[in-house]
Short mmCIF file of all heavy atoms in Angstrom, two decimals:
data_model
loop_
_atom_site.label_atom_id
_atom_site.label_comp_id
_atom_site.label_asym_id
_atom_site.label_seq_id
_atom_site.Cartn_x
_atom_site.Cartn_y
_atom_site.Cartn_z
N ASP A 29 59.13 117.25 33.54
CA ASP A 29 58.86 117.60 32.15
C ASP A 29 58.98 116.34 31.30
O ASP A 29 60.01 115.66 31.35
CB ASP A 29 59.88 118.64 31.64
CG ASP A 29 59.56 120.04 32.14
OD1 ASP A 29 58.41 120.25 32.55
OD2 ASP A 29 60.45 120.90 32.12
N ILE A 30 57.94 116.01 30.57
CA ILE A 30 57.98 114.80 29.73
C ILE A 30 57.69 115.15 28.27
O ILE A 30 57.04 116.13 27.97
CB ILE A 30 56.99 113.71 30.20
CG1 ILE A 30 55.53 114.17 30.04
CG2 ILE A 30 57.26 113.29 31.62
CD1 ILE A 30 54.54 113.04 30.08
N GLN A 31 58.18 114.29 27.38
CA GLN A 31 57.92 114.40 25.95
C GLN A 31 57.22 113.12 25.53
O GLN A 31 57.60 112.03 25.97
CB GLN A 31 59.25 114.56 25.19
CG GLN A 31 59.08 115.06 23.77
CD GLN A 31 60.42 115.31 23.08
OE1 GLN A 31 61.45 114.87 23.56
NE2 GLN A 31 60.40 116.00 21.97
N PHE A 32 56.19 113.24 24.69
CA PHE A 32 55.40 112.06 24.36
C PHE A 32 54.85 112.11 22.94
O PHE A 32 54.76 113.16 22.31
CB PHE A 32 54.24 111.90 25.36
CG PHE A 32 53.33 113.10 25.44
CD1 PHE A 32 52.25 113.23 24.58
CD2 PHE A 32 53.56 114.09 26.37
CE1 PHE A 32 51.42 114.33 24.64
CE2 PHE A 32 52.74 115.21 26.43
CZ PHE A 32 51.66 115.33 25.57
N TYR A 33 54.49 110.91 22.45
CA TYR A 33 53.83 110.78 21.15
C TYR A 33 52.32 110.83 21.36
O TYR A 33 51.81 110.30 22.35
CB TYR A 33 54.14 109.42 20.51
CG TYR A 33 55.58 109.14 20.19
CD1 TYR A 33 56.29 108.19 20.92
CD2 TYR A 33 56.24 109.79 19.15
CE1 TYR A 33 57.61 107.89 20.62
CE2 TYR A 33 57.56 109.51 18.85
CZ TYR A 33 58.24 108.55 19.59
OH TYR A 33 59.55 108.26 19.30
N LYS A 34 51.62 111.43 20.40
CA LYS A 34 50.16 111.34 20.35
C LYS A 34 49.85 110.44 19.16
O LYS A 34 50.24 110.74 18.03
CB LYS A 34 49.53 112.72 20.18
CG LYS A 34 49.68 113.61 21.41
CD LYS A 34 48.70 114.74 21.43
CE LYS A 34 47.40 114.33 22.08
NZ LYS A 34 46.45 115.43 22.26
N ILE A 35 49.16 109.34 19.43
CA ILE A 35 48.91 108.32 18.40
C ILE A 35 47.42 108.14 18.21
O ILE A 35 46.69 107.83 19.16
CB ILE A 35 49.57 106.97 18.80
CG1 ILE A 35 51.07 107.19 19.02
CG2 ILE A 35 49.32 105.91 17.74
CD1 ILE A 35 51.75 106.03 19.72
N LEU A 36 46.96 108.29 16.97
CA LEU A 36 45.54 108.13 16.65
C LEU A 36 45.29 106.71 16.14
O LEU A 36 45.88 106.28 15.16
CB LEU A 36 45.13 109.14 15.59
CG LEU A 36 43.68 109.01 15.07
CD1 LEU A 36 42.67 109.33 16.17
CD2 LEU A 36 43.46 109.92 13.86
N VAL A 37 44.42 105.98 16.86
CA VAL A 37 43.96 104.67 16.41
C VAL A 37 42.60 104.91 15.76
O VAL A 37 41.58 105.04 16.45
CB VAL A 37 43.86 103.66 17.58
CG1 VAL A 37 43.42 102.29 17.07
CG2 VAL A 37 45.20 103.54 18.30
N GLU A 38 42.61 105.01 14.45
CA GLU A 38 41.42 105.45 13.71
C GLU A 38 40.22 104.52 13.90
O GLU A 38 39.10 104.98 14.08
CB GLU A 38 41.76 105.55 12.22
CG GLU A 38 40.75 106.33 11.41
CD GLU A 38 41.16 106.53 9.97
OE1 GLU A 38 42.32 106.25 9.63
OE2 GLU A 38 40.31 106.94 9.18
N LYS A 39 40.45 103.22 13.86
CA LYS A 39 39.35 102.25 13.97
C LYS A 39 38.58 102.42 15.27
O LYS A 39 37.36 102.39 15.31
CB LYS A 39 39.93 100.83 13.86
CG LYS A 39 38.94 99.70 14.10
CD LYS A 39 37.87 99.62 13.02
CE LYS A 39 36.91 98.46 13.27
NZ LYS A 39 35.81 98.44 12.29
N GLU A 40 39.31 102.63 16.37
CA GLU A 40 38.69 102.76 17.69
C GLU A 40 38.38 104.22 18.06
O GLU A 40 37.86 104.47 19.15
CB GLU A 40 39.60 102.13 18.75
CG GLU A 40 39.81 100.63 18.55
CD GLU A 40 40.70 100.02 19.61
OE1 GLU A 40 40.96 100.68 20.64
OE2 GLU A 40 41.14 98.88 19.41
N LYS A 41 38.74 105.15 17.16
CA LYS A 41 38.56 106.58 17.42
C LYS A 41 39.16 106.95 18.78
O LYS A 41 38.54 107.59 19.63
CB LYS A 41 37.08 106.97 17.37
CG LYS A 41 36.49 106.84 15.97
CD LYS A 41 35.03 107.20 15.93
CE LYS A 41 34.46 107.03 14.53
NZ LYS A 41 33.01 107.30 14.47
N LEU A 42 40.41 106.53 18.93
CA LEU A 42 41.11 106.66 20.21
C LEU A 42 42.46 107.34 19.98
O LEU A 42 43.16 107.03 19.03
CB LEU A 42 41.32 105.27 20.80
CG LEU A 42 42.09 105.14 22.10
CD1 LEU A 42 41.27 105.68 23.27
CD2 LEU A 42 42.44 103.68 22.36
N THR A 43 42.81 108.29 20.86
CA THR A 43 44.12 108.92 20.81
C THR A 43 44.93 108.48 22.02
O THR A 43 44.53 108.69 23.17
CB THR A 43 44.00 110.46 20.79
OG1 THR A 43 43.24 110.85 19.64
CG2 THR A 43 45.37 111.11 20.73
N LEU A 44 46.07 107.85 21.75
CA LEU A 44 46.95 107.35 22.81
C LEU A 44 48.05 108.36 23.09
O LEU A 44 48.50 109.07 22.19
CB LEU A 44 47.58 106.03 22.40
CG LEU A 44 46.64 104.88 22.03
CD1 LEU A 44 47.44 103.71 21.47
CD2 LEU A 44 45.82 104.43 23.23
N THR A 45 48.49 108.41 24.35
CA THR A 45 49.63 109.24 24.74
C THR A 45 50.72 108.32 25.26
O THR A 45 50.55 107.67 26.30
CB THR A 45 49.21 110.25 25.84
OG1 THR A 45 48.16 111.07 25.33
CG2 THR A 45 50.36 111.12 26.26
N VAL A 46 51.82 108.25 24.53
CA VAL A 46 52.92 107.33 24.90
C VAL A 46 54.19 108.14 25.13
O VAL A 46 54.72 108.74 24.18
CB VAL A 46 53.15 106.27 23.80
CG1 VAL A 46 54.30 105.34 24.19
CG2 VAL A 46 51.88 105.46 23.54
N PRO A 47 54.72 108.18 26.38
CA PRO A 47 55.97 108.91 26.63
C PRO A 47 57.13 108.36 25.80
O PRO A 47 57.18 107.16 25.51
CB PRO A 47 56.21 108.66 28.13
CG PRO A 47 54.87 108.33 28.69
CD PRO A 47 54.15 107.60 27.60
N ILE A 48 58.06 109.24 25.44
CA ILE A 48 59.21 108.84 24.61
C ILE A 48 60.01 107.74 25.30
O ILE A 48 60.51 106.82 24.64
CB ILE A 48 60.13 110.06 24.32
CG1 ILE A 48 59.36 111.16 23.60
CG2 ILE A 48 61.38 109.65 23.54
CD1 ILE A 48 58.92 110.84 22.19
N ASN A 49 60.14 107.81 26.63
CA ASN A 49 60.94 106.80 27.33
C ASN A 49 60.20 105.46 27.48
O ASN A 49 60.72 104.53 28.08
CB ASN A 49 61.41 107.31 28.70
CG ASN A 49 60.27 107.54 29.68
OD1 ASN A 49 59.10 107.52 29.30
ND2 ASN A 49 60.60 107.77 30.93
N GLN A 50 58.98 105.39 26.90
CA GLN A 50 58.24 104.12 26.88
C GLN A 50 57.95 103.68 25.44
O GLN A 50 57.06 102.87 25.19
CB GLN A 50 56.93 104.25 27.66
CG GLN A 50 57.14 104.42 29.16
CD GLN A 50 55.83 104.57 29.91
OE1 GLN A 50 54.77 104.12 29.46
NE2 GLN A 50 55.87 105.20 31.06
N GLN A 51 58.73 104.22 24.49
CA GLN A 51 58.49 103.91 23.09
C GLN A 51 58.82 102.45 22.73
O GLN A 51 58.46 101.97 21.66
CB GLN A 51 59.27 104.86 22.18
CG GLN A 51 60.77 104.80 22.33
CD GLN A 51 61.47 105.91 21.54
OE1 GLN A 51 60.88 106.60 20.73
NE2 GLN A 51 62.75 106.08 21.80
N SER A 52 59.48 101.74 23.64
CA SER A 52 59.77 100.32 23.42
C SER A 52 58.48 99.49 23.38
O SER A 52 58.48 98.37 22.88
CB SER A 52 60.69 99.78 24.51
OG SER A 52 60.10 99.96 25.79
N LYS A 53 57.38 100.07 23.89
CA LYS A 53 56.08 99.38 23.83
C LYS A 53 55.51 99.38 22.41
O LYS A 53 54.60 98.62 22.10
CB LYS A 53 55.08 100.06 24.78
CG LYS A 53 55.42 99.87 26.26
CD LYS A 53 54.40 100.57 27.13
CE LYS A 53 54.71 100.38 28.61
NZ LYS A 53 53.71 101.08 29.47
N LEU A 54 56.01 100.29 21.59
CA LEU A 54 55.57 100.38 20.20
C LEU A 54 56.48 99.55 19.30
O LEU A 54 57.60 99.22 19.67
CB LEU A 54 55.60 101.83 19.73
CG LEU A 54 54.86 102.87 20.59
CD1 LEU A 54 55.19 104.27 20.09
CD2 LEU A 54 53.36 102.63 20.56
N ARG A 55 55.97 99.24 18.12
CA ARG A 55 56.84 98.62 17.10
C ARG A 55 56.48 99.18 15.73
O ARG A 55 55.34 99.62 15.51
CB ARG A 55 56.72 97.09 17.12
CG ARG A 55 55.42 96.54 16.58
CD ARG A 55 55.57 95.04 16.26
NE ARG A 55 54.31 94.43 15.88
CZ ARG A 55 53.80 94.49 14.65
NH1 ARG A 55 54.43 95.15 13.70
NH2 ARG A 55 52.64 93.90 14.38
N PRO A 56 57.43 99.18 14.80
CA PRO A 56 57.11 99.70 13.45
C PRO A 56 56.22 98.73 12.68
O PRO A 56 56.08 97.56 13.06
CB PRO A 56 58.49 99.82 12.79
CG PRO A 56 59.35 98.85 13.54
CD PRO A 56 58.82 98.79 14.93
N ILE A 57 55.62 99.20 11.61
CA ILE A 57 54.80 98.36 10.74
C ILE A 57 55.68 97.26 10.13
O ILE A 57 56.83 97.50 9.78
CB ILE A 57 54.15 99.23 9.63
CG1 ILE A 57 53.14 100.21 10.23
CG2 ILE A 57 53.49 98.37 8.55
CD1 ILE A 57 51.90 99.59 10.82
N SER A 58 55.12 96.06 9.99
CA SER A 58 55.87 94.93 9.44
C SER A 58 56.31 95.21 8.00
O SER A 58 55.60 95.88 7.25
CB SER A 58 55.01 93.67 9.47
OG SER A 58 54.64 93.37 10.79
N SER A 59 57.46 94.66 7.66
CA SER A 59 57.97 94.82 6.29
C SER A 59 57.22 93.86 5.35
O SER A 59 56.51 92.96 5.81
CB SER A 59 59.46 94.50 6.25
OG SER A 59 59.67 93.13 6.58
N ILE A 60 57.41 94.03 4.05
CA ILE A 60 56.79 93.15 3.05
C ILE A 60 57.23 91.70 3.26
O ILE A 60 56.42 90.77 3.14
CB ILE A 60 57.15 93.63 1.62
CG1 ILE A 60 56.39 94.91 1.29
CG2 ILE A 60 56.83 92.56 0.58
CD1 ILE A 60 54.89 94.75 1.11
N ASN A 61 58.51 91.50 3.58
CA ASN A 61 59.01 90.14 3.83
C ASN A 61 58.29 89.47 5.00
O ASN A 61 57.94 88.28 4.93
CB ASN A 61 60.52 90.17 4.10
CG ASN A 61 61.33 90.48 2.86
OD1 ASN A 61 60.88 90.23 1.74
ND2 ASN A 61 62.52 91.03 3.04
N GLN A 62 58.08 90.24 6.07
CA GLN A 62 57.36 89.70 7.24
C GLN A 62 55.91 89.40 6.88
O GLN A 62 55.36 88.38 7.34
CB GLN A 62 57.43 90.71 8.39
CG GLN A 62 58.82 90.84 9.00
CD GLN A 62 58.91 91.99 9.99
OE1 GLN A 62 58.40 93.10 9.74
NE2 GLN A 62 59.56 91.76 11.11
N ILE A 63 55.29 90.27 6.10
CA ILE A 63 53.90 90.07 5.67
C ILE A 63 53.79 88.80 4.81
O ILE A 63 52.86 87.99 4.98
CB ILE A 63 53.38 91.30 4.88
CG1 ILE A 63 53.22 92.50 5.81
CG2 ILE A 63 52.07 90.99 4.16
CD1 ILE A 63 52.11 92.42 6.83
N ASN A 64 54.74 88.59 3.92
CA ASN A 64 54.74 87.40 3.06
C ASN A 64 54.87 86.11 3.87
O ASN A 64 54.25 85.09 3.55
CB ASN A 64 55.87 87.48 2.02
CG ASN A 64 55.57 88.51 0.94
OD1 ASN A 64 54.41 88.82 0.67
ND2 ASN A 64 56.61 89.04 0.32
N LYS A 65 55.68 86.16 4.92
CA LYS A 65 55.81 84.99 5.81
C LYS A 65 54.48 84.69 6.51
O LYS A 65 54.12 83.53 6.71
CB LYS A 65 56.90 85.24 6.86
CG LYS A 65 58.31 85.13 6.29
CD LYS A 65 59.35 85.43 7.36
CE LYS A 65 60.76 85.40 6.77
NZ LYS A 65 61.77 85.76 7.79
N CYS A 66 53.77 85.75 6.87
CA CYS A 66 52.47 85.59 7.52
C CYS A 66 51.41 85.07 6.55
O CYS A 66 50.52 84.31 6.95
CB CYS A 66 52.02 86.92 8.11
SG CYS A 66 53.04 87.45 9.49
#
């Protein structure tokens, strides 16, 4: 039995399935401070 995220990548019209125990492959959106550095 697994639990997973369904993630929609709108640009590519793609739905990803990522198991909860593999969520380390994901990262949150960058903060404003990180964006300013970029």
Side-chain angles (χ1 to χ4, degrees):
D29 282 342
I30 66 162
Q31 196 175 15
F32 57 88
Y33 298 110
K34 291 199 87 174
I35 303 166
L36 175 66
V37 182
E38 195 175 348
K39 174 67 179 176
E40 297 181 13
K41 293 179 181 177
L42 177 71
T43 300
L44 303 172
T45 301
V46 179
I48 301 293
N49 66 349
Q50 292 179 25
Q51 62 188 349
S52 58
K53 292 180 179 179
L54 307 171
R55 72 164 174 82
I57 294 292
S58 300
S59 65
I60 287 290
N61 289 335
Q62 290 171 317
I63 291 291
N64 287 335
K65 285 178 183 177
C66 293

